[in-house]
Protein backbone atom coordinates (compact mmCIF):
# COMPACT_ATOMS: atom_id res chain seq x y z
CA UNK A 1 0.00 0.00 0.00
CA UNK A 2 1.40 3.38 -1.00
CA UNK A 3 1.64 5.93 1.78
CA UNK A 4 2.19 9.66 1.55
CA UNK A 5 4.03 10.85 4.64
CA UNK A 6 5.16 14.23 5.97
CA UNK A 7 8.35 14.19 8.03
CA UNK A 8 8.37 17.29 10.21
CA UNK A 9 10.90 18.72 12.63
CA UNK A 10 10.68 22.11 14.36
CA UNK A 11 12.57 23.96 17.09
CA UNK A 12 11.68 27.02 19.19
CA UNK A 13 8.34 27.67 17.51
CA UNK A 14 4.76 26.62 16.95
CA UNK A 15 4.16 25.42 13.39
CA UNK A 16 1.32 24.01 11.33
CA UNK A 17 1.31 21.88 8.18
CA UNK A 18 -1.61 21.65 5.77
CA UNK A 19 -2.35 19.50 2.76
CA UNK A 20 -4.92 21.09 0.45
CA UNK A 21 -5.75 23.61 3.19
CA UNK A 22 -6.49 20.87 5.74
CA UNK A 23 -4.37 20.94 8.91
CA UNK A 24 -2.54 17.63 9.24
CA UNK A 25 0.03 18.51 11.91
CA UNK A 26 0.27 21.18 14.59
CA UNK A 27 3.49 21.15 16.59
CA UNK A 28 3.61 23.20 19.78
CA UNK A 29 6.86 24.54 21.24
CA UNK A 30 8.98 21.73 22.65
CA UNK A 31 7.00 18.91 21.00
CA UNK A 32 9.38 18.12 18.12
CA UNK A 33 12.76 17.23 19.57
CA UNK A 34 13.10 14.67 16.78
CA UNK A 35 11.40 14.12 13.41
CA UNK A 36 7.65 13.41 13.44
CA UNK A 37 6.15 11.28 10.64
CA UNK A 38 2.53 12.01 9.73
CA UNK A 39 0.72 9.82 7.14
CA UNK A 40 -1.55 11.97 4.96
CA UNK A 41 -3.19 9.65 2.39
CA UNK A 42 -6.70 10.77 3.37
CA UNK A 43 -5.90 14.40 2.46
CA UNK A 44 -4.22 13.78 -0.92
CA UNK A 45 -6.35 13.99 -4.05
CA UNK A 46 -5.78 12.99 -7.70
CA UNK A 47 -4.05 15.69 -9.73
CA UNK A 48 -2.79 18.94 -8.23
CA UNK A 49 -2.20 19.25 -4.47
CA UNK A 50 -0.62 21.85 -2.20
CA UNK A 51 1.49 21.48 0.94
CA UNK A 52 1.68 24.58 3.16
CA UNK A 53 3.78 25.15 6.27
CA UNK A 54 3.33 28.03 8.72
CA UNK A 55 6.27 28.90 10.98
CA UNK A 56 5.89 31.07 14.10
CA UNK A 57 2.19 30.20 14.01
CA UNK A 58 -0.33 32.20 16.03
CA UNK A 59 -1.35 30.16 19.11
CA UNK A 60 -5.07 30.67 18.35
CA UNK A 61 -5.95 28.12 15.63
CA UNK A 62 -8.48 30.28 13.79
CA UNK A 63 -5.83 33.02 13.44
CA UNK A 64 -2.87 30.72 12.88
CA UNK A 65 -1.46 32.82 10.02
CA UNK A 66 -2.08 36.24 11.64
CA UNK A 67 0.48 38.24 13.67
CA UNK A 68 -0.31 38.53 17.35
CA UNK A 69 0.68 40.70 20.30
CA UNK A 70 1.72 39.60 23.75
CA UNK A 71 4.48 37.63 25.45
CA UNK A 72 6.20 34.68 23.84
CA UNK A 73 4.63 31.28 24.30
CA UNK A 74 5.92 29.02 27.03
CA UNK A 75 8.82 27.05 25.55
CA UNK A 76 9.74 29.72 22.99
CA UNK A 77 12.79 31.94 23.40
CA UNK A 78 11.68 35.19 21.75
CA UNK A 79 14.23 36.47 19.26
CA UNK A 80 16.32 33.29 19.44
CA UNK A 81 16.84 31.17 16.31
CA UNK A 82 13.91 29.01 15.23
CA UNK A 83 13.78 26.49 12.42
CA UNK A 84 11.68 23.85 10.74
CA UNK A 85 11.94 21.30 7.97
CA UNK A 86 9.05 19.47 6.34
CA UNK A 87 9.36 16.78 3.68
CA UNK A 88 6.49 15.05 1.93
CA UNK A 89 7.45 11.69 0.42
CA UNK A 90 5.78 8.56 -0.90
CA UNK A 91 6.65 5.02 0.16
CA UNK A 92 5.58 1.43 -0.38
CA UNK A 93 6.62 -1.18 2.15
CA UNK A 94 8.78 1.49 3.83
CA UNK A 95 10.73 1.97 0.60
CA UNK A 96 10.69 5.25 -1.37
CA UNK A 97 8.50 5.40 -4.46
CA UNK A 98 10.83 6.26 -7.33
CA UNK A 99 8.45 8.28 -9.51
CA UNK A 100 7.39 10.68 -6.75
CA UNK A 101 9.70 13.65 -6.17
CA UNK A 102 9.73 14.59 -2.46
CA UNK A 103 8.40 18.03 -1.58
CA UNK A 104 10.63 20.01 0.79
CA UNK A 105 9.89 23.18 2.75
CA UNK A 106 12.39 24.68 5.19
CA UNK A 107 12.47 27.88 7.20
CA UNK A 108 14.89 29.47 9.66
CA UNK A 109 14.79 32.81 11.44
CA UNK A 110 14.09 34.44 14.78
CA UNK A 111 11.20 33.30 16.95
CA UNK A 112 8.69 36.13 16.75
CA UNK A 113 4.90 36.74 16.74
CA UNK A 114 4.95 37.03 12.95
CA UNK A 115 3.78 33.89 11.11
CA UNK A 116 5.46 32.95 7.85
CA UNK A 117 3.65 30.61 5.43
CA UNK A 118 5.29 28.79 2.53
CA UNK A 119 3.48 26.66 -0.04
CA UNK A 120 4.55 24.14 -2.66
CA UNK A 121 2.42 22.37 -5.23
CA UNK A 122 2.80 18.70 -6.11
CA UNK A 123 1.00 16.34 -8.44
CA UNK A 124 -0.39 12.89 -7.75
CA UNK A 125 -1.71 10.93 -10.69
CA UNK A 126 -2.85 7.75 -8.98
CA UNK A 127 -4.56 8.68 -5.72
CA UNK A 128 -7.67 6.65 -6.33
CA UNK A 129 -10.27 7.44 -3.71
CA UNK A 130 -12.86 10.23 -4.03
CA UNK A 131 -12.93 11.54 -0.47
CA UNK A 132 -16.21 12.77 0.93
CA UNK A 133 -14.73 16.10 1.96
CA UNK A 134 -13.93 16.95 -1.67
CA UNK A 135 -17.66 16.81 -2.46
CA UNK A 136 -18.73 18.84 0.57
CA UNK A 137 -20.47 22.18 0.05
CA UNK A 138 -18.44 25.38 0.22
CA UNK A 139 -19.49 27.12 3.44
CA UNK A 140 -20.24 30.76 4.16
CA UNK A 141 -17.36 32.16 6.25
CA UNK A 142 -19.73 34.54 8.03
CA UNK A 143 -21.98 31.77 9.38
CA UNK A 144 -20.01 28.50 9.19
CA UNK A 145 -18.89 28.43 12.84
CA UNK A 146 -22.37 29.25 14.14
CA UNK A 147 -23.95 26.68 11.82
CA UNK A 148 -21.49 23.94 12.80
CA UNK A 149 -21.65 24.52 16.55
CA UNK A 150 -25.01 22.74 17.10
CA UNK A 151 -23.58 19.66 15.37
CA UNK A 152 -20.60 19.72 17.74
CA UNK A 153 -23.01 20.08 20.67
CA UNK A 154 -24.93 17.03 19.40
CA UNK A 155 -21.74 14.95 19.34
CA UNK A 156 -20.92 16.20 22.84
CA UNK A 157 -24.35 15.11 24.09
CA UNK A 158 -23.87 11.64 22.60
CA UNK A 159 -20.66 11.37 24.64
CA UNK A 160 -22.37 12.69 27.76
CA UNK A 161 -25.17 10.16 27.34
CA UNK A 162 -22.76 7.29 26.76
CA UNK A 163 -24.44 6.63 23.42
CA UNK A 164 -21.70 4.58 21.79
CA UNK A 165 -24.05 3.25 19.12
CA UNK A 166 -25.19 6.70 18.07
CA UNK A 167 -21.62 7.95 17.98
CA UNK A 168 -20.48 4.94 15.93
CA UNK A 169 -23.15 5.72 13.33
CA UNK A 170 -22.01 9.33 13.05
CA UNK A 171 -18.33 8.36 12.76
CA UNK A 172 -18.74 5.39 10.43
CA UNK A 173 -17.97 7.20 7.17
CA UNK A 174 -14.92 8.94 8.62
CA UNK A 175 -13.49 5.72 10.07
CA UNK A 176 -13.99 3.90 6.77
CA UNK A 177 -12.12 6.57 4.83
CA UNK A 178 -9.18 6.97 7.23
CA UNK A 179 -8.58 3.21 7.55
CA UNK A 180 -9.65 0.89 4.72
CA UNK A 181 -9.92 3.50 1.98
CA UNK A 182 -6.75 5.43 2.83
CA UNK A 183 -4.41 2.71 4.10
CA UNK A 184 -6.01 -0.66 3.30
CA UNK A 185 -6.43 -1.29 7.03
CA UNK A 186 -9.62 -2.91 8.36
CA UNK A 187 -11.85 -0.31 10.02
CA UNK A 188 -13.12 -2.75 12.66
CA UNK A 189 -10.08 -2.87 14.97
CA UNK A 190 -9.79 0.92 15.09
CA UNK A 191 -13.51 1.28 15.73
CA UNK A 192 -13.32 -1.29 18.55
CA UNK A 193 -10.30 0.39 20.13
CA UNK A 194 -12.06 3.76 19.98
CA UNK A 195 -15.20 2.25 21.47
CA UNK A 196 -13.26 0.73 24.38
CA UNK A 197 -11.41 3.95 25.15
CA UNK A 198 -14.58 6.03 25.03
CA UNK A 199 -16.42 3.56 27.27
CA UNK A 200 -13.55 3.74 29.78
CA UNK A 201 -13.75 7.54 29.81
CA UNK A 202 -17.56 7.58 30.02
CA UNK A 203 -17.76 5.09 32.88
CA UNK A 204 -14.92 6.33 35.06
CA UNK A 205 -15.40 9.22 37.52
CA UNK A 206 -11.72 10.04 36.99
CA UNK A 207 -12.43 11.38 33.49
CA UNK A 208 -14.29 14.62 32.73
CA UNK A 209 -15.65 15.64 29.34
CA UNK A 210 -14.79 19.28 28.75
CA UNK A 211 -17.68 21.61 27.78
CA UNK A 212 -18.09 22.91 24.23
CA UNK A 213 -19.83 26.22 24.86
CA UNK A 214 -18.91 28.79 22.21
CA UNK A 215 -16.33 30.71 24.33
CA UNK A 216 -14.56 27.41 25.05
CA UNK A 217 -14.10 26.27 21.45
CA UNK A 218 -12.41 27.67 18.35
CA UNK A 219 -14.13 26.60 15.12
CA UNK A 220 -12.21 27.37 11.94
CA UNK A 221 -12.85 26.95 8.24
CA UNK A 222 -10.38 24.74 6.39
CA UNK A 223 -10.25 22.65 3.18
CA UNK A 224 -11.08 25.58 0.96
CA UNK A 225 -14.06 26.45 3.20
CA UNK A 226 -15.51 22.93 2.90
CA UNK A 227 -14.81 21.80 6.48
CA UNK A 228 -15.06 23.25 9.98
CA UNK A 229 -12.32 21.99 12.30
CA UNK A 230 -13.52 21.83 15.90
CA UNK A 231 -10.78 22.83 18.33
CA UNK A 232 -10.25 24.49 21.67
CA UNK A 233 -8.37 27.82 21.80
CA UNK A 234 -5.18 25.95 22.79
CA UNK A 235 -5.32 23.87 19.59
CA UNK A 236 -6.51 20.58 21.11
CA UNK A 237 -9.71 18.93 19.78
CA UNK A 238 -12.97 20.35 21.10
CA UNK A 239 -14.19 16.88 22.15
CA UNK A 240 -11.68 16.12 24.88
CA UNK A 241 -11.75 14.16 28.13
CA UNK A 242 -9.35 15.15 30.92
CA UNK A 243 -8.42 12.82 33.78
CA UNK A 244 -7.70 13.73 37.38
CA UNK A 245 -4.02 13.16 36.53
CA UNK A 246 -4.37 15.72 33.70
CA UNK A 247 -4.09 13.09 30.96
CA UNK A 248 -6.19 13.77 27.86
CA UNK A 249 -8.13 11.67 25.39
CA UNK A 250 -9.57 13.48 22.39
CA UNK A 251 -11.89 12.79 19.48
CA UNK A 252 -10.80 15.04 16.58
CA UNK A 253 -13.59 16.03 14.19
CA UNK A 254 -13.98 18.15 11.08
CA UNK A 255 -17.56 18.83 10.00
CA UNK A 256 -18.94 19.52 6.54
CA UNK A 257 -22.20 19.55 4.60
CA UNK A 258 -22.43 16.56 2.27
CA UNK A 259 -25.56 15.88 0.22
CA UNK A 260 -27.36 18.62 2.14
CA UNK A 261 -26.60 17.31 5.64
CA UNK A 262 -23.93 18.03 8.22
CA UNK A 263 -21.55 15.10 8.72
CA UNK A 264 -18.24 14.19 10.33
CA UNK A 265 -15.95 14.06 7.28
CA UNK A 266 -12.55 14.02 9.04
Amino acid sequence: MRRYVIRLQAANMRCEVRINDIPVALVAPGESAGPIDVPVNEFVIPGSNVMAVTANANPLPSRVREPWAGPAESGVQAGAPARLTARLFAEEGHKPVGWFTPVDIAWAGPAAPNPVTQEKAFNVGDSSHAWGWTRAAVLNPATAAADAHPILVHLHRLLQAGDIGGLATVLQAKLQEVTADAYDIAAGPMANALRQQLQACMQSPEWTLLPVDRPQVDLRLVAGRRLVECLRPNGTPALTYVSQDEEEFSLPVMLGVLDGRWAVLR
Side-chain angles (χ1 to χ4, degrees):
M1 178 70 185
R2 182 170 301 133
R3 295 200 316 162
Y4 296 94
V5 180
I6 292 176
R7 181 161 294 160
L8 174 66
Q9 188 163 13
N12 198 35
M13 72 164 72
R14 177 182 294 270
C15 69
E16 181 186 75
V17 182
R18 297 189 183 199
I19 295 291
N20 296 322
D21 194 36
I22 302 178
V24 298
L26 176 65
V27 178
E31 285 187 346
S32 178
I36 299 170
D37 282 2
V38 183
V40 294
N41 282 26
E42 64 268 41
F43 307 106
V44 173
I45 60 176
S48 180
N49 293 259
V50 176
M51 179 170 77
V53 178
T54 300
N56 284 335
N58 189 317
L60 185 63
S62 58
R63 299 181 180 177
V64 69
R65 296 181 176 180
E66 300 177 16
W68 77 98
E73 282 194 275
S74 175
V76 173
Q77 293 180 296
R83 67 183 185 279
L84 72 79
T85 59
R87 163 169 279 210
L88 172 69
F89 60 94
E91 65 177 16
E92 287 183 355
H94 301 290
K95 295 181 180 180
V97 174
W99 61 262
F100 184 81
T101 302
V103 181
D104 291 297
I105 294 179
W107 184 88
N114 299 300
V116 178
T117 299
Q118 299 181 67
E119 297 183 351
K120 283 192 176 181
F122 63 97
N123 194 74
V124 172
D126 65 339
S127 181
S128 58
H129 198 77
W131 309 119
W133 64 264
T134 65
R135 297 183 285 109
V138 175
L139 301 172
N140 183 343
T143 62
D147 293 341
H149 185 251
I151 312 305
L152 176 64
V153 170
H154 173 66
L155 296 174
H156 189 266
R157 287 174 178 165
L158 290 177
L159 291 171
Q160 284 182 314
D163 188 352
I164 291 289
L167 198 64
T169 299
V170 172
L171 297 178
Q172 182 176 4
K174 168 188 171 176
L175 289 176
Q176 173 68 24
E177 285 200 342
V178 302
T179 55
D181 295 342
Y183 300 103
D184 200 22
I185 298 172
M190 176 177 282
N192 290 336
L194 178 61
R195 184 191 305 268
Q196 292 172 8
Q197 182 62 57
L198 286 173
Q199 285 178 330
C201 291
M202 292 171 176
Q203 296 170 2
S204 172
E206 296 183 1
W207 289 88
T208 300
L209 180 63
L210 297 179
V212 292
D213 301 329
R214 281 301 298 274
Q216 294 160 313
V217 296
D218 188 38
L219 308 183
R220 62 174 178 172
L221 270 177
V222 298
R225 299 184 2 224
R226 295 179 185 276
L227 297 177
V228 176
E229 186 178 25
C230 302
L231 301 173
R232 313 192 79 79
N234 66 357
T236 59
L239 298 175
T240 293
Y241 286 90
V242 178
S243 75
Q244 294 177 354
D245 296 329
E246 298 185 347
E247 296 180 359
E248 294 186 359
F249 176 75
S250 299
L251 184 64
V253 293
M254 298 186 195
L255 307 174
V257 177
L258 185 62
D259 299 328
R261 301 185 63 177
W262 282 96
V264 178
L265 298 179
R266 277 296 172 269

